[in-house]
Amino acid sequence: MLQCRLRSRQFQWTGINFCDYKACYSRRSLRTCKCQQSESLSGVAAGDGNGAWFVNNVETSNSVNNGIGVKGLTSNGTNGSIIDTVCPNSIEEEAWDLLRESVVSYCGSPIGTIAANDPTSSSVLNYDQVFIRDFIPSGVAFLLKGEYDIVRNFILYTLQLQSWEKTMDCHSPGQGLMPASFKVRTVPLDGDDSATEEVLDPDFGEAAIGRVAPVDSGLWWIILLRAYGKCSGDRSVQERVDVQTGIKMILRLCLADGFDMFPTLLVTDGSCMIDRRMGIHGHPLEIQALFYSALLCAREMLAAEDGSADLIRALNNRLVALSFHIREYYWIDLKKLNEIYRYKTEEYSYDAVNKFNIYPDQISPWLVEWMPNKGGYLIGNLQPAHMDFRFFSLGNLWSIVNSLATVEQSHAILDLIEAKWSDLVAEMPFKICYPALEGQEWLIITGSDPKNTPWSYHNAGSWPTLLWQLTVACIKMNRPHIAAKAVELAERRISRDRWPEYYDTKRSRFVGKQSRLFQTWSIAGYLVAKLLLADPSKANILITEEDSDLVNALISANPKGKRGRKNLKQTYIV
């Protein structure tokens, strides 16, 4: 099987026709692909294979017309034959075969996709497991392709794992926690070696590197559940009693009262996609964006019943407070940066301007030079006397998708991405954060993490899987040419580099030093981006629009006005 895979890539690198690629795969690919469509490789458009958007728009877009044509990449006479002869159709076909090869079955049914299927690595670690967050782009790709069974199975089986008892040093996590990953294991049946059964073995963080429980798994699960219902039209899954109970358990865990005064979720380092020590403990933007999205999706799916009234009321109140908090205090552009630069400190009163006692000296020299005249973004974290000014991609992109950012802020984020294209995209999309931690700062904040050296892995490495979030955000704001340009860049190298997990260096020129090859969410992220650019209307399964009730609540709360003791009786406290 490995020989076949390598042989097929040799054909691609030398420009040989790719038409016999599928015949090269073993029976395993065919067995896990029960509903493969033969009409179109993109699964959306027929005829040209690239979809309506490319046909209608690429030739007229100045920002995209250097490589992609109606029938694929064409030679521009400067980049060499390897890049110029790569055909997007053949890359898509290869990606679909690899994605289907990564499918994991449980009791004869597809249940998810493993994190990576790298034949060049002898160290498996936990890359042979099904990760909740990693499966999201895979699940969306299958939904867009019309293959719903694997997503339905994934939703229902991971729900069964939610209530499992797991402990770390004799301590159990809160009820409702979703696992980070799970593995299908074959074990002897009742001690009889002659008979076996398959079991699901979840990991809630007790076996993970760093032993950190995932906060984002349950939030992604709710987002995928809504996407499944909108795409398939099957609302019976979200209406099931056990699924409704699962949603409520996640919400109660997230909405539980604690010591924190902020409407944002308080979490530790390593609780999301950035799963190592990177100085994001506190209230990282990524978790807040996913939290806001999960609240909106859950409100849409929760059945109206007496038992849900209090939960929905708490959910609505949290949406208002969270929306105002992020938009008002996390947003930064040149104007806001100048305001922070002139902050007075040690202010006490309800009318304080510098509410979090931010010291202007926190503004780094890199930010003063980096901030463009046009554009802005949501900062990475906010705590008392601390603003993390780094640009975190997933949090900003998902804040566009779920309307956590205003329309003006959403366009400004995309303006900044275009203005700082050479920094955030460079030669392979997309930087997970910017800039990298270096020197003494890297040593202290990361604990001298050898995997998170500057411009590598989660310390400002480039992750191709972020293509799909970028594409959804661009489509929502009616600026798909930005995503199409990024996809074009990815197509020049990603297949030739064997679908790496991430890229290193400031310009993303090297495959990551510890990067797994044939990384499933790199493959799925590319496929989702292609499918959505071919039919932008399908992005609606992921997008949540800001509703009028939320807007009116923000207005009635009058957050812009001065807030004294007389305002404490308002319905919405922001």
Side-chain angles (χ1 to χ4, degrees):
M1 189 172 183
L2 172 58
Q3 291 173 346
C4 293
R5 181 185 294 156
L6 294 177
R7 184 162 63 249
S8 67
R9 280 174 178 74
Q10 290 169 0
F11 293 161
Q12 179 182 330
W13 298 337
T14 54
I16 297 175
N17 194 323
F18 214 67
C19 61
D20 292 329
Y21 178 85
K22 292 177 73 174
C24 189
Y25 272 80
S26 71
R27 287 193 300 269
R28 178 169 177 251
S29 297
L30 301 177
R31 195 165 60 246
T32 58
C33 170
K34 297 181 179 178
C35 33
Q36 181 175 352
Q37 304 289 330
S38 60
E39 299 83 32
S40 167
L41 292 176
S42 68
V44 178
D48 55 36
N50 274 330
W53 192 89
F54 283 95
V55 173
N56 295 333
N57 294 280
V58 171
E59 292 180 346
T60 61
S61 174
N62 292 331
S63 61
V64 192
N65 61 7
N66 286 330
I68 299 182
V70 172
K71 294 186 178 179
L73 289 176
T74 57
S75 174
N76 56 20
T78 60
N79 291 331
S81 59
I82 291 180
I83 292 177
D84 295 337
T85 55
V86 173
C87 174
N89 282 352
S90 63
I91 298 176
E92 284 182 70
E93 184 175 359
E94 176 193 11
W96 275 115
D97 283 328
L98 290 172
L99 180 61
R100 292 195 169 96
E101 186 183 327
S102 71
V103 169
V104 174
S105 293
Y106 174 66
C107 297
S109 299
I111 192 177
T113 52
I114 59 174
N117 193 12
D118 184 356
T120 66
S121 176
S122 58
S123 177
V124 177
L125 293 177
N126 55 355
Y127 282 83
D128 63 342
Q129 297 187 22
V130 180
F131 280 81
I132 304 292
R133 76 172 68 97
D134 289 39
F135 179 75
I136 303 304
S138 297
V140 173
F142 285 122
L143 289 177
L144 296 176
K145 195 72 169 175
E147 302 176 14
Y148 306 132
D149 286 349
I150 185 172
V151 181
R152 184 179 188 274
N153 293 338
F154 173 86
I155 290 170
L156 295 178
Y157 279 112
T158 50
L159 178 66
Q160 293 180 16
L161 303 178
Q162 183 186 35
S163 59
W164 278 39
E165 290 259 346
K166 283 289 182 176
T167 61
M168 170 67 182
D169 293 339
C170 305
H171 178 71
S172 298
Q175 191 179 30
L177 182 70
M178 282 286 188
S181 63
F182 64 87
K183 184 178 177 64
V184 178
R185 299 188 186 276
T186 303
V187 298
L189 182 61
D190 296 330
D192 183 2
D193 293 337
S194 62
T196 60
E197 64 175 344
E198 290 184 336
V199 298
L200 298 180
D201 183 14
D203 177 11
F204 288 83
E206 75 278 6
I209 297 173
R211 301 302 191 264
V212 179
V215 178
D216 60 342
S217 291
L219 306 178
W220 276 123
W221 182 85
I222 291 177
I223 293 168
L224 183 64
L225 174 62
R226 173 183 178 266
Y228 170 81
K230 290 183 72 70
C231 190
S232 68
D234 177 15
R235 304 303 172 95
S236 64
V237 173
Q238 65 192 45
E239 293 170 356
R240 288 174 47 145
V241 174
D242 56 342
V243 174
Q244 288 284 311
T245 302
I247 296 174
K248 293 174 185 177
M249 288 172 64
I250 295 172
L251 292 179
R252 290 193 179 101
L253 182 63
C254 294
L255 295 172
D257 292 332
F259 290 101
D260 199 20
M261 289 291 290
F262 302 150
T264 43
L265 274 182
L266 178 63
V267 297
T268 187
D269 251 336
S271 60
C272 52
M273 179 181 176
I274 297 178
D275 58 7
R276 297 172 81 91
R277 181 175 163 188
M278 271 286 290
I280 64 169
H281 56 278
H283 307 86
L285 177 64
E286 177 181 331
I287 289 295
Q288 314 316 320
L290 293 175
F291 179 37
Y292 187 80
S293 190
L295 290 178
L296 288 175
C297 293
R299 185 176 65 174
E300 186 178 314
M301 295 185 294
L302 277 174
E305 57 185 20
D306 294 339
S308 302
D310 290 341
L311 187 60
I312 293 175
R313 189 180 302 111
L315 185 155
N316 284 326
N317 288 337
R318 193 63 168 266
L319 280 171
V320 176
L322 182 61
S323 177
F324 168 73
H325 188 85
I326 296 295
R327 293 176 180 184
E328 184 71 11
Y329 302 126
Y330 277 62
W331 180 254
I332 189 169
D333 53 17
L334 199 58
K335 178 183 176 182
K336 185 64 177 292
L337 190 61
N338 197 41
E339 291 177 9
I340 298 172
Y341 181 73
R342 293 171 54 82
Y343 266 171
K344 293 180 175 61
T345 58
E346 315 304 329
E347 293 181 299
Y348 174 81
S349 74
Y350 292 104
D351 301 329
V353 175
N354 186 2
K355 293 180 175 62
F356 302 96
N357 202 35
I358 303 300
Y359 301 107
D361 288 345
Q362 288 185 29
I363 300 176
S364 302
W366 73 265
L367 181 59
V368 176
E369 301 299 326
W370 194 71
M371 180 65 72
N373 292 327
K374 180 183 179 182
Y377 65 98
L378 297 167
I379 63 171
N381 210 332
L382 176 66
Q383 299 183 76
H386 174 69
M387 295 182 79
D388 187 344
F389 289 108
R390 286 176 291 175
F391 176 90
F392 286 88
S393 302
L394 178 53
N396 274 276
L397 294 174
W398 208 254
S399 294
I400 297 174
V401 174
N402 64 15
S403 301
L404 178 56
T406 66
V407 173
E408 294 77 15
Q409 289 173 345
S410 297
H411 278 296
I413 293 170
L414 295 182
D415 288 339
L416 178 130
I417 290 174
E418 287 195 298
K420 297 300 176 181
W421 189 265
S422 60
D423 292 329
L424 299 177
V425 180
E427 296 185 25
M428 177 59 67
F430 198 87
K431 278 278 184 294
I432 193 170
C433 65
Y434 185 92
L437 299 172
E438 300 184 275
Q440 192 76 6
E441 188 180 34
W442 167 81
L443 189 152
I444 295 171
I445 292 179
T446 72
S448 305
D449 186 348
K451 193 170 184 179
N452 264 337
T453 51
W455 310 107
S456 177
Y457 197 55
H458 288 149
N459 189 12
S462 294
W463 292 70
T465 186
L466 292 172
L467 270 175
W468 76 274
Q469 288 103 333
L470 173 66
T471 302
V472 180
C474 291
I475 288 174
K476 185 190 175 189
M477 304 314 297
N478 198 27
R479 297 169 68 172
H481 64 276
I482 299 175
K485 184 180 178 182
V487 169
E488 176 197 355
L489 280 174
E491 286 177 332
R492 294 179 179 182
R493 291 181 56 193
I494 193 167
S495 174
R496 180 161 53 95
D497 292 339
R498 294 177 290 177
W499 306 93
E501 181 181 14
Y502 63 94
Y503 285 78
D504 282 356
T505 74
K506 193 170 183 178
R507 290 198 52 82
S508 320
R509 302 190 69 183
F510 293 168
V511 173
K513 58 186 176 183
Q514 296 188 43
S515 179
R516 300 288 168 142
L517 303 180
F518 307 107
Q519 186 79 12
T520 303
W521 71 347
S522 295
I523 296 165
Y526 165 76
L527 286 173
V528 172
K530 292 288 286 186
L531 289 168
L532 291 179
L533 287 172
D535 187 354
S537 65
K538 292 194 173 184
N540 289 329
I541 68 171
L542 297 162
I543 291 171
T544 50
E545 299 288 351
E546 185 176 53
D547 59 64
S548 57
D549 290 341
L550 186 57
V551 174
N552 293 335
L554 282 170
I555 295 173
S556 66
N558 192 22
K560 292 290 185 181
K562 292 184 178 180
R563 178 174 172 267
R565 292 184 181 275
K566 63 182 180 180
N567 293 326
L568 293 179
K569 293 183 179 180
Q570 291 176 340
T571 303
Y572 299 99
I573 300 175
V574 295

